[in-house]
C-alpha cells in the first residue's frame, strides 16, 4: 500500500539522532529487544545469531538492541539465553557486533537479570528485593517463592551488571541498555508491589530506585566516554498500586543526572503482559504504539531522548510517534516478520504482516504463544529462511515447549559442569 501524502512529508524517522555519548544514530528506527532464545551450547552468540543480526542491519534500522543478555549464569529467563559474564570468551561477541554493524546500524546490548521471573524447573538462584511470589492465578505454581536478597547479593548484582557492560564495550558494542522493565529484577526493585524492603534499597522511590541508579553510575564510570548507556523502564506495571507514570517521570529525571543517553518506555510484566497488549488493571492501551500516551507525559520532564515500543507496524504510526516529540521508534514483532521494514518505508507506506492471533482464552497461555510465535519467526530468519507469520500458534507453542525441554536439559548439565569446575 502506498500513501502518496507520505512522499511529500519530511522523513523525520530517517533523520539522524545525536546522543550525549557515542556516535549519532543514522535514523530514528530501532530494532527493539526480543527474546531470541538462540544462544549456543555454551550460551554464546553463534552463526544463527550473526545471520539474524546481519539481516536486520541491512534492513535499514538505525539502532539494534539485542535480546536480553544475562549477567549471571545462574539466573536465566530461558535455557537458551546468551550469557556475558567474566568467564565468557569475547570473540563470539565481537563477531555478533560485527554482524550487527555490517549494514550500517549501531548495536547496543540489552543486559538483564530476571530476579524472581524464572520458571520453577530452572536451576540456579531465584532472588528478589523481597520474598513476594508471582501472582499469575492458576499459573502461579510455575514459579518458586523468591529469596529476599542480602546486602552482599545486591552488591554482587551491581558488580555483574558493570562487568557485562564493560565487556560489551570491549567486544565492540556501541552501548548497553539496562533492562529495568517487564518485571525483571531492576523493575522488581522499582515497584512498591515487589519491593517491601525497609532498608536503603526500599521504601520511597528514592530507595527503590537506588539499585538502578548505582548500576548506571558505576557503569558510566567504568565504560569509555563514547559508549552509550540506555535504560528500559515501565511506564507502568499495569497493576493496581504498582509503579506508575508519575514514578517513571521521577526516575527518568534521576537518570538524566547520571549520564543516561536514552530511555525506552514500555510496560507490564509476567503478571500483567502489557508489552503484548494485555493489562491486568483493565487500562486500555493504544492500538499501536501502546505506550505513546504515557511517553508523552514522561517526555515533559525527560532530559534525554525517549524511545517508545509496543505494536508499531506502520510508517504512519512511526511518524506519529516522532511528531509527538518522542525521539526514537522501537519495533519488535514487525521486524521478526519483515526484517527490511525500514528500507520498505523509504519507498512506500508498508505495513508488516500480522502474526496469526492465538485463540486461547487463558491470557497466560496466549502470552506464551505470542512469545513463541515471534521466536519461531526469528529462528527462520536466523536459518536464512523467510518468516511464516500465519503458521498455527498452537503448533508453534507445542514445538517451542519441546525445544525448551531439550534446552533445559542441556543448560542443567552445562551449569553443573561450570560450577564443579
Amino acid at each position: 500500500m502506498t500513501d502518496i501524502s507520505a512522499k511529500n512529508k519530511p522523513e523525520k524517522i530517517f533523520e539522524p539522532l545525536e546522543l550525549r555519548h557515542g556516535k549519532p544514530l543514522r535514523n530514528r528506527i530501532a530494532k527493539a529487544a526480543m527474546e531470541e532464545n538462540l544462544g549456543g551450547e555454551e550460551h554464546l552468540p553463534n552463526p544463527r545469531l550473526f545471520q539474524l543480526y546481519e539481516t536486520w542491519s541491512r534492513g535499514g534500522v538505525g539502532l539494534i538492541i539485542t535480546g536480553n543478555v544475562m549477567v549471571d549464569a545462574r539466573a536465566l529467563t530461558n535455557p537458551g539465553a546468551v550469557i556475558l559474564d567474566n568467564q565468557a570468551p569475547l570473540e563470539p561477541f565481537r563477531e555478533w557486533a560485527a554482524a550487527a554493524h555490517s549494514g550500517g546500524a549501531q548495536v547496543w546490548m540489552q543486559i538483564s537479570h530476571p530476579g524472581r521471573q524464572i520458571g520453577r524447573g530452572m536451576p540456579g538462584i531465584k532472588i528478589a528485593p523481597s520474598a513476594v511470589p508471582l501472582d499469575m492465578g492458576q499459573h502461579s505454581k510455575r514459579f518458586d517463592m523468591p529469596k529476599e536478597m542480602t546486602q552482599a547479593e545486591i552488591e554482587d548484582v551491581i558488580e555483574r551488571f558493570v562487568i557485562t557492560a564493560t565487556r560489551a564495550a570491549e567486544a565492540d558494542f556501541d552501548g548497553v541498555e539496562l533492562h529495568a522493565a517487564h518485571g525483571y529484577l531492576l523493575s522488581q526493585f522499582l515497584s512498591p508491589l515487589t519491593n517491601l524492603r525497609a532498608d536503603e534499597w526500599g521504601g520511597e522511590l528514592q530507595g527503590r530506585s537506588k539499585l538502578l541508579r548505582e548500576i548506571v553510575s558505576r557503569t558510566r564510570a567504568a565504560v569509555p566516554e563514547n559508549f552509550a548507556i540506555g535504560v528500559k523502564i515501565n511506564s507502568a506495571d499495569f497493576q493496581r498500586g504498582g509503579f506508575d507514570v508519575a514514578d517513571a517521570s521521577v526516575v527518568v529525571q534521576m537518570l538524566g543526572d547520571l549520564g543516561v543517553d536514552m530511555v525506552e518506555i514500555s510496560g507490564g510484566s509476567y503478571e500483567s503482559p502489557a508489552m503484548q497488549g494485555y493489562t491486568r488493571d483493565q487500562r486500555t492501551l493504544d492500538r499501536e504504539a501502546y505506550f505513546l500516551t504515557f511517553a508523552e507525559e514522561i517526555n515533559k520532564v525527560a532530559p534525554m531522548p525517549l524511545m517508545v515500543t509496543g505494536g508499531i507496524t506502520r510508517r504512519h504510526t512511526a511518524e506519529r510517534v516522532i511528531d509527538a516529540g518522542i525521539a526514537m521508534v522501537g519495533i519488535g514483532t514487525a521486524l521478526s516478520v519483515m526484517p527490511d521494514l525500514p528500507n520498505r518505508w523509504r519507498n512506500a507506506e508498508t505495513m508488516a504482516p500480522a502474526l496469526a492471533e492465538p485463540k486461547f482464552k487463558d491470557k497466560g497461555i496466549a502470552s506464551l504463544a505470542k512469545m513463541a510465535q515471534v521466536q519461531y519467526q526469528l529462528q527462520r530468519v536466523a536459518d536464512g529462511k523467510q518468516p511464516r507469520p500465519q503458521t498455527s500458534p498452537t503448533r508453534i507453542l507445542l514445538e517451542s515447549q519441546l525445544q525448551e525441554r531439550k534446552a533445559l536439559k542441556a543448560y542443567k548439565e552445562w551449569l553443573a559442569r561450570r560450577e564443579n569446575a
Side-chain angles (χ1 to χ4, degrees):
M1 181 174 76
T2 302
D3 182 351
I4 301 299
S5 64
K7 294 183 178 180
N8 299 320
K9 291 172 64 178
E11 294 188 336
K12 296 180 182 178
I13 55 174
F14 295 109
E15 293 177 354
L17 176 64
E18 296 279 348
L19 298 173
R20 183 171 173 182
H21 303 93
K23 296 171 288 189
L25 303 177
R26 65 176 174 179
N27 62 45
R28 305 302 184 93
I29 306 168
K31 193 290 290 182
M34 292 176 278
E35 191 169 57
E36 297 113 359
N37 208 7
L38 284 171
E41 290 183 3
E42 300 296 315
H43 296 277
L44 299 171
N46 56 37
R48 296 180 79 197
L49 275 175
F50 306 156
Q51 169 71 39
L52 178 61
Y53 277 70
E54 181 176 337
T55 302
W56 276 323
S57 188
R58 296 189 186 282
V61 294
L63 173 64
I64 296 175
I65 302 176
T66 71
N68 50 356
V69 173
M70 301 290 103
V71 303
D72 190 337
R74 304 166 301 167
L76 307 189
T77 53
N78 66 72
V82 172
I83 302 165
L84 179 55
D85 58 10
N86 57 6
Q87 296 184 50
L90 281 186
E91 189 53 37
F93 290 92
R94 291 193 178 100
E95 290 187 61
W96 194 12
H101 287 139
S102 63
Q106 290 193 45
V107 58
W108 294 3
M109 183 185 292
Q110 186 185 82
I111 60 178
S112 180
H113 191 300
R116 67 175 187 160
Q117 289 190 165
I118 300 176
R120 173 160 284 179
M122 292 280 283
I125 59 172
K126 290 146 188 182
I127 54 177
S130 303
V132 178
L134 273 94
D135 179 8
M136 297 182 65
Q138 64 179 325
H139 300 295
S140 298
K141 60 181 180 292
R142 293 174 46 222
F143 298 90
D144 293 314
M145 170 72 79
K147 173 185 174 295
E148 180 171 313
M149 293 171 68
T150 65
Q151 175 73 28
E153 287 170 328
I154 291 173
E155 288 292 337
D156 178 70
V157 162
I158 295 171
E159 183 179 0
R160 288 177 185 275
F161 270 95
V162 175
I163 287 171
T164 300
T166 55
R167 301 205 78 206
E170 292 171 20
D172 303 325
F173 283 77
D174 301 294
V176 290
E177 180 183 68
L178 307 177
H179 198 340
H182 298 176
Y184 294 121
L185 183 63
L186 303 187
S187 178
Q188 291 161 32
F189 268 85
L190 289 172
S191 175
L193 297 177
T194 47
N195 186 345
L196 310 180
R197 302 178 73 96
D199 61 7
E200 62 186 302
W201 306 98
E204 298 300 319
L205 188 57
Q206 185 74 19
R208 286 185 278 120
S209 64
K210 183 175 179 180
L211 178 60
L212 175 59
R213 290 185 289 110
E214 282 291 318
I215 291 171
V216 170
S217 180
R218 296 189 202 182
T219 300
R220 183 77 273 163
V223 297
E225 178 67 20
N226 64 351
F227 190 76
I229 297 177
V231 175
K232 183 172 188 170
I233 68 167
N234 279 351
S235 55
D237 292 339
F238 295 94
Q239 293 175 262
R240 289 184 176 87
F243 186 83
D244 215 332
V245 66
D247 295 325
S249 297
V250 174
V251 171
V252 165
Q253 291 178 80
M254 293 176 177
L255 295 176
D257 296 335
L258 301 176
V260 167
D261 294 279
M262 186 159 59
V263 172
E264 179 183 349
I265 304 298
S266 189
S269 66
Y270 283 15
E271 293 176 319
S272 181
M275 58 284 196
Q276 295 178 359
Y278 305 123
T279 63
R280 191 161 178 174
D281 60 6
Q282 308 306 313
R283 270 187 278 189
T284 301
L285 300 175
D286 289 341
R287 189 173 179 182
E288 286 195 41
Y290 301 152
F291 310 107
L292 178 56
T293 303
F294 302 97
E296 288 179 283
E297 185 68 24
I298 296 167
N299 200 37
K300 294 175 183 176
V301 298
M304 77 289 285
L306 297 186
M307 180 170 110
V308 165
T309 54
I312 298 169
T313 65
R314 296 178 298 167
R315 174 174 162 169
H316 171 76
T317 307
E319 291 280 11
R320 182 162 64 88
V321 170
I322 302 300
D323 287 342
I326 307 302
M328 203 81 185
V329 178
I331 305 174
T333 300
L335 286 171
S336 76
V337 295
M338 193 175 277
D340 62 344
L341 186 60
N343 284 345
R344 292 172 184 252
W345 278 353
R346 284 187 179 276
N347 301 313
E349 175 77 8
T350 303
M351 181 175 177
L355 295 173
E357 189 65 26
K359 295 180 180 179
F360 300 106
K361 292 183 180 179
D362 186 304
K363 288 185 178 180
I365 295 176
S367 177
L368 274 179
K370 281 195 171 185
M371 289 176 63
Q373 284 178 283
V374 171
Q375 289 174 4
Y376 173 76
Q377 310 308 325
L378 299 182
Q379 289 166 10
R380 289 189 62 82
V381 177
D383 291 332
K385 301 175 182 177
Q386 292 297 312
R388 285 184 178 168
Q390 290 305 304
T391 303
S392 162
T394 303
R395 175 192 149 191
I396 290 173
L397 181 59
L398 291 173
E399 289 179 354
S400 74
Q401 296 296 303
L402 292 174
Q403 290 174 0
E404 187 160 320
R405 286 179 191 172
K406 290 177 63 178
L408 178 57
K409 182 176 182 292
Y411 169 54
K412 286 179 177 178
E413 293 171 352
W414 175 83
L415 185 63
R417 289 195 305 270
R418 197 182 210 235
E419 291 184 338
N420 289 335

